[in-house]
Amino acid sequence: MGKKGWFLVMAMLLVLTTACSGANSGGNSGTSADGKVKLRIAWWGSDTRHEYTQKVVDLYKQKNPNVTIDVEYASFDDYWKKLAPQAAANQLPDIVQMDISYISQYAKNGQLEDLAPYLNQKIQVADVTENVLKTGVIAGKQYGIPTGVNVLGFQYDPALLKKAGIDKIPDNWTWDQYKELALKAASNKVHFDSSMVADIFFHYYLRTHGKSLYNAEGTGLGYDDDKLFVDFFSSMADLIKKEATPSPEVMNQTKGIIEESDIVKEKGIGVWQWSNQYVGLQQVVNRPMALAPMFGPNMEKGIYMQPTMYWAVASHSQVKDEAAKFIDFWMNDVEANKLIKGERGVPISAKIKEAVAAELSEPTKQVFDFVASMEPKASPMSPPPPVGSPEVIATLTDYIEQVNFGQMTAEDAAVKFRADANTILANNKQ
Amino acid sequence: MSLRNHQSLRANMTGYAFISPFIVGFLAFTLIPMFISLYLSFTSYNLFTPPKWIGLGNFEKMFTADPKYWNSIRVTFTYVLVGVPLRLIFALFVAMILNTKSRMVGTYRTMYYLPSIIGGSVAVSIMWRNIFSNEGIVNSLLLALGATPVKWFGDPNASLAMLITLSVWQFGSSMLIFLAGLKNISVEMYEASSVDGASPVRKFFSITLPLLSPIILFNLIMQTISAFMTFVPAYVISKGEGGPMDGTMLHSLYLFRQAFMFSNMGYAAAMAWVMLIMIAILTAILFITSKYWVFYETEKGR
């Protein structure tokens, strides 16, 4: 091989190594001269979600032949691991699915576009209630469009409730009534529920008292009285001790394995969770189930419509108009929503809600009805969790675990949590 | 440049061309990231805003203000100091059995090595979790025998022990190396000792162990280093939370949480460097002490 040959080898190696770094860039999306538009869209979820989302994407491409769409999807954990480096390199996909716990971080760091100028231009929102649309507003800007809404509630098996000696969940039930019923179930050797996720339900409890978990600026906790913490979590620990809910050992072992949960094995009456989780649970339980509202007092102050997730547009996107058009299509196209079937929460457009009603499965219909009955009662959502909230939540979860295992008193946990949370959140002070 | 130099450069081009993928890869994916991570360990960095220099702040927090860090160190050292010796003893034990002459030995060797091939994988961890789940095989057996089932991964005291057992079970690679070592010990030594009337125990301690000691050292160092970096089983079995009660919060898992869940990249980088130094010190100790217990035939039995 002569000189030329070696030159060729070196050149090829050079191409090879640069190709490695170039493959991930993908930053060259944009409108080219021939009117072709290239969109990138990313979401997380289960296989069913990937399947129908791909169908919606295909439908959009079919109706807009000049658009090509690259999709990126992953599980929740992997999604955020992938997104963070992309954001750091200013290479976010044009349309990104955002979670409520992350949207502040991405918005405040300038990664997302304010969509307010697109409303009623590219994105039609005439059929959306103000309360719902506002949940995408962070620091005065519309950084996200909710894909659908959720509301907290009790999802249970009525037959098992009867077996535990309880006729029905009382209308307008209270925190005290809940504890009473739970203990009654315990005396009949059935778990009433599988406890409550610490941060979500403590936040609900605080809201019924007119407080919130974080202050409005996101620089500290949103409540001053540690008694609220102690009341809520010592009650929880007490219900565990009296076997109204499973022991922390069992909870730890079954965590994330829905097939092993009490309600599936007919050992537990119900689960406290978001309404969009009902359909999945119902499928596994495979017996008639029902939804009940949260307990009071002041249930109306406590509940709120929470976006299941958001669609957001990257601030570095070259094709923001097309991205906005796709979001509009997702929100307002009947055909698309017949594919989506409310899987990303109850649609926020009233018209779409009506249009797809006939297409829904029984459990999905239950969810739509439940959310519809709660929507007029709900209060506005607290601001989305601030930057640092994942760490605050992890800290809270740790302390509550120690309380539930009987290794720490709720009083100690309240003080320690306040100190830790305020240290983490103090970073948000300007 | 003289003609001669020029020619030798041309002659060496082949070599450079062939090693360039490695060199480029090493620079781009190992050396440069290492220096960047060293720099980041002195900063506060959340991936979104530029890193902010905070000097020794991360290290200060780690050593004085983060009890969870010390917990993760405690858990990791327990995992390594208990797990590695157990694993090596077990590997040696199995290797000695498989060193005997029997017809099925080939099959057995393959079977015992299998868990290690798939060892680090997610699938094994999930399987392990299922075997010991509330209604898994182990608990069903216990129930059938009339014993009370155990919450293997739910009990703060049992969960780390479960992780260690899993690591002991993945003994295949060290076993294979031991097996090769055992094959190298000449049969004459054993025969001679038999003539002298040595018992099997005596043979083991006076012949097998000393002649195997270089291999033990090699396995000990390799296994210690890899044990310190264990991540997958703890992540999968505890669903990424290191629970219950932080009982399985290995250092690598805590580092991962700091980096990718809390976006504390600077802090995570600092943790990684401290761990690197700890592993280096421990390896150095193993090397230094080895001259008192490792026996090399070539050195005329020093």
Side-chain angles (χ1 to χ4, degrees):
Chain A
M1 207 183 288
K3 207 173 180 178
K4 241 185 195 161
W6 286 121
F7 192 77
L8 204 71
V9 169
M10 290 302 281
M12 272 172 64
L13 284 171
L14 205 70
V15 169
L16 209 74
T17 47
T18 45
C20 292
S21 57
N24 287 326
S25 66
N28 45 6
S29 53
T31 316
S32 57
D34 51 358
K36 287 247 182 278
V37 184
K38 203 170 149 202
L39 268 180
R40 276 169 75 215
I41 176 170
W43 71 86
W44 74 84
S46 58
D47 285 343
T48 25
R49 183 177 295 167
H50 302 331
E51 275 166 32
Y52 81 77
T53 306
Q54 183 65 58
K55 280 186 199 156
V56 175
V57 165
D58 291 342
L59 186 67
Y60 186 82
K61 284 199 290 197
Q62 194 188 320
K63 291 192 173 182
N64 302 274
N66 63 324
V67 182
T68 52
I69 301 179
D70 287 343
V71 297
E72 295 169 22
Y73 52 81
S75 69
F76 186 82
D77 283 354
D78 289 340
Y79 182 78
W80 298 105
K81 269 184 267 162
K82 250 171 75 180
L83 214 58
Q86 285 182 340
N90 286 333
Q91 282 169 359
L92 279 185
D94 303 299
I95 306 173
V96 267
Q97 185 174 306
M98 270 285 145
D99 183 64
I100 188 156
S101 55
Y102 284 91
I103 193 167
S104 298
Q105 190 177 353
Y106 281 81
K108 293 214 169 124
N109 288 306
Q111 295 290 336
L112 304 181
E113 179 76 4
D114 179 12
L115 294 174
Y118 296 84
L119 297 183
N120 286 327
Q121 304 290 319
K122 292 273 179 209
I123 305 175
Q124 299 304 325
V125 289
D127 302 317
V128 185
T129 33
E130 187 69 21
N131 244 355
V132 168
L133 196 61
K134 268 220 177 117
T135 58
V137 174
I138 294 130
K141 293 196 170 131
Q142 186 85 39
Y143 285 116
I145 304 288
T147 61
V149 285
N150 268 337
V151 64
L152 285 175
F154 186 54
Q155 302 165 12
Y156 68 103
D157 174 349
L160 216 55
L161 188 75
K162 282 221 172 67
K163 238 191 221 168
I166 305 161
D167 277 345
K168 67 189 265 293
I169 305 275
D171 294 332
N172 302 319
W173 60 335
T174 63
W175 176 229
D176 289 330
Q177 274 174 312
Y178 155 65
K179 284 189 272 190
E180 237 170 73
L181 294 182
L183 292 177
K184 190 165 182 187
S187 69
N188 287 319
K189 300 275 174 239
V190 184
H191 290 145
F192 191 81
D193 57 53
S194 50
S195 203
M196 302 183 192
V197 178
D199 60 302
I200 297 173
F201 290 91
F202 179 45
H203 180 58
Y204 166 80
Y205 185 73
L206 288 170
R207 281 175 54 96
T208 63
H209 285 84
K211 311 279 181 198
S212 64
L213 189 51
Y214 307 105
N215 65 19
E217 302 78 34
T219 53
L221 292 177
Y223 64 97
D224 304 315
D225 188 0
D226 279 342
K227 193 176 170 297
L228 291 169
F229 184 107
V230 174
D231 284 351
F232 184 79
F233 287 114
S234 58
S235 301
M236 291 297 180
D238 193 48
L239 289 177
I240 291 173
K241 223 167 76 194
K242 292 183 176 150
E243 294 181 6
T245 51
S247 71
E249 285 93 349
V250 174
M251 288 302 296
N252 249 301
Q253 182 108 344
T254 53
K255 188 171 47 188
I257 312 174
I258 192 167
E259 287 77 10
E260 278 200 13
S261 62
D262 272 352
I263 182 163
V264 176
K265 296 185 300 186
E266 300 195 55
K267 282 195 216 154
I269 295 168
V271 182
W272 298 97
Q273 58 181 7
W274 291 105
S275 53
N276 72 317
Q277 294 169 294
Y278 179 77
V279 177
L281 178 65
Q282 167 80 74
Q283 265 167 12
V284 183
V285 171
N286 209 10
R287 278 172 279 133
M289 284 178 65
L291 291 132
M294 295 297 297
F295 47 76
N298 297 324
M299 185 268 277
E300 284 82 359
K301 264 163 82 180
I303 58 160
Y304 54 96
M305 294 290 128
Q306 175 168 293
T308 324
M309 51 205 81
Y310 303 95
W311 287 124
V313 175
S315 56
H316 292 88
S317 166
Q318 304 290 310
V319 285
K320 286 172 194 156
D321 278 353
E322 196 64 40
K325 239 179 91 189
F326 181 86
I327 294 174
D328 179 70
F329 176 77
W330 186 279
M331 271 176 68
N332 294 313
D333 189 273
V334 176
E335 238 179 294
N337 275 280
K338 280 181 180 166
L339 293 169
I340 301 166
K341 293 197 175 83
E343 198 275 337
R344 276 178 168 90
V346 176
I348 61 172
S349 154
K351 263 193 197 148
I352 291 297
K353 236 185 286 184
E354 247 172 69
V356 297
E359 310 271 322
L360 302 175
S361 66
E362 190 48 39
T364 315
K365 213 175 276 171
Q366 278 178 298
V367 173
F368 273 49
D369 290 346
F370 180 69
V371 172
S373 69
M374 290 295 125
E375 197 170 334
K377 296 180 187 166
S379 303
M381 190 178 83
S382 313
V387 180
S389 69
E391 199 171 352
V392 173
I393 292 169
T395 310
L396 176 67
T397 312
D398 279 348
Y399 286 136
I400 296 314
E401 200 175 21
Q402 295 187 41
V403 172
N404 291 344
F405 268 108
Q407 308 267 326
M408 190 188 261
T409 63
E411 284 81 3
D412 283 352
V415 175
K416 286 195 166 145
F417 171 63
R418 173 172 298 279
D420 288 1
N422 282 335
T423 314
I424 297 162
L425 295 169
N427 291 330
N428 295 336
K429 284 182 186 149
Q430 294 304 316
Chain B
M1 202 189 285
S2 74
L3 185 71
R4 209 186 153 75
N5 266 342
H6 188 71
Q7 270 174 346
S8 84
L9 184 74
R10 270 191 63 181
N12 288 339
M13 272 300 265
T14 322
Y16 289 128
F18 275 109
I19 61 168
S20 62
F22 169 76
I23 291 179
V24 171
F26 177 72
L27 286 176
F29 300 115
T30 305
L31 205 61
I32 295 172
M34 258 179 85
F35 280 109
I36 294 176
S37 120
L38 184 60
Y39 164 71
L40 288 179
S41 69
F42 297 103
T43 65
S44 162
Y45 180 43
N46 67 3
L47 268 182
F48 295 98
T49 42
K52 204 165 55 200
W53 185 267
I54 54 166
L56 293 173
N58 285 326
F59 299 94
E60 217 179 291
K61 180 182 168 201
M62 203 181 307
F63 291 125
T64 60
D66 189 356
K68 296 197 76 165
Y69 174 75
W70 286 110
N71 174 66
S72 78
I73 292 286
R74 188 184 55 78
V75 171
T76 309
F77 271 85
T78 316
Y79 177 82
V80 175
L81 296 183
V82 177
V84 172
L86 277 180
R87 186 182 195 167
L88 290 187
I89 290 168
F90 198 60
L92 181 56
F93 177 70
V94 177
M96 288 182 63
I97 293 175
L98 294 185
N99 197 30
T100 54
K101 288 192 174 65
S102 105
R103 268 193 309 148
M104 292 288 284
V105 114
T107 322
Y108 285 134
R109 277 178 201 163
T110 318
M111 274 170 57
Y112 280 108
Y113 188 54
L114 266 179
S116 287
I117 298 177
I118 43 178
S121 81
V122 174
V124 166
S125 303
I126 291 176
M127 187 192 84
W128 200 248
R129 203 189 143 97
N130 286 343
I131 291 176
F132 289 96
S133 74
N134 283 345
E135 280 147 11
I137 293 176
V138 177
N139 273 351
S140 306
L141 263 172
L142 282 177
L143 211 62
L145 294 171
T148 30
V150 180
K151 307 281 173 284
W152 299 102
F153 294 114
D155 189 323
N157 300 316
S159 56
L160 184 60
M162 292 313 298
L163 273 192
I164 293 175
T165 329
L166 172 58
S167 88
V168 172
W169 178 64
Q170 295 170 335
F171 60 91
S173 63
S174 5
M175 180 205 72
L176 219 60
I177 297 169
F178 276 138
L179 200 55
L182 288 171
K183 295 255 173 249
N184 263 339
I185 301 175
S186 62
V187 189
E188 288 101 64
M189 290 237 198
Y190 290 111
E191 282 167 354
S193 66
S194 293
V195 172
D196 290 345
S199 67
V201 177
R202 180 68 195 267
K203 280 184 201 167
F204 175 75
F205 283 105
S206 300
I207 301 173
T208 314
L209 267 192
L211 289 180
L212 213 54
S213 57
I215 295 182
I216 295 175
L217 175 69
F218 173 79
N219 267 339
L220 193 60
I221 288 171
M222 297 309 282
Q223 297 297 324
T224 305
I225 292 173
S226 76
F228 268 113
M229 300 192 294
T230 306
F231 172 74
V232 172
Y235 179 79
V236 171
I237 287 169
S238 76
K239 304 261 166 198
E241 288 174 13
M245 303 262 281
D246 291 338
T248 55
M249 186 68 89
L250 293 180
H251 184 271
S252 58
L253 184 55
Y254 187 52
L255 187 151
F256 173 84
R257 280 170 73 81
Q258 285 290 348
F260 292 102
M261 294 186 63
F262 308 153
S263 302
N264 294 332
M265 287 292 167
Y267 190 59
M271 280 180 68
W273 277 91
V274 172
M275 182 45 78
L276 177 77
I277 292 165
M278 280 189 196
I279 295 177
I281 292 174
L282 216 76
T283 313
I285 291 174
L286 284 178
F287 265 117
I288 292 165
T289 58
S290 74
K291 66 170 168 243
Y292 300 105
W293 59 271
V294 173
F295 169 82
Y296 292 103
E297 266 180 294
T298 47
E299 287 171 41
K300 299 280 171 232
R302 180 185 64 166

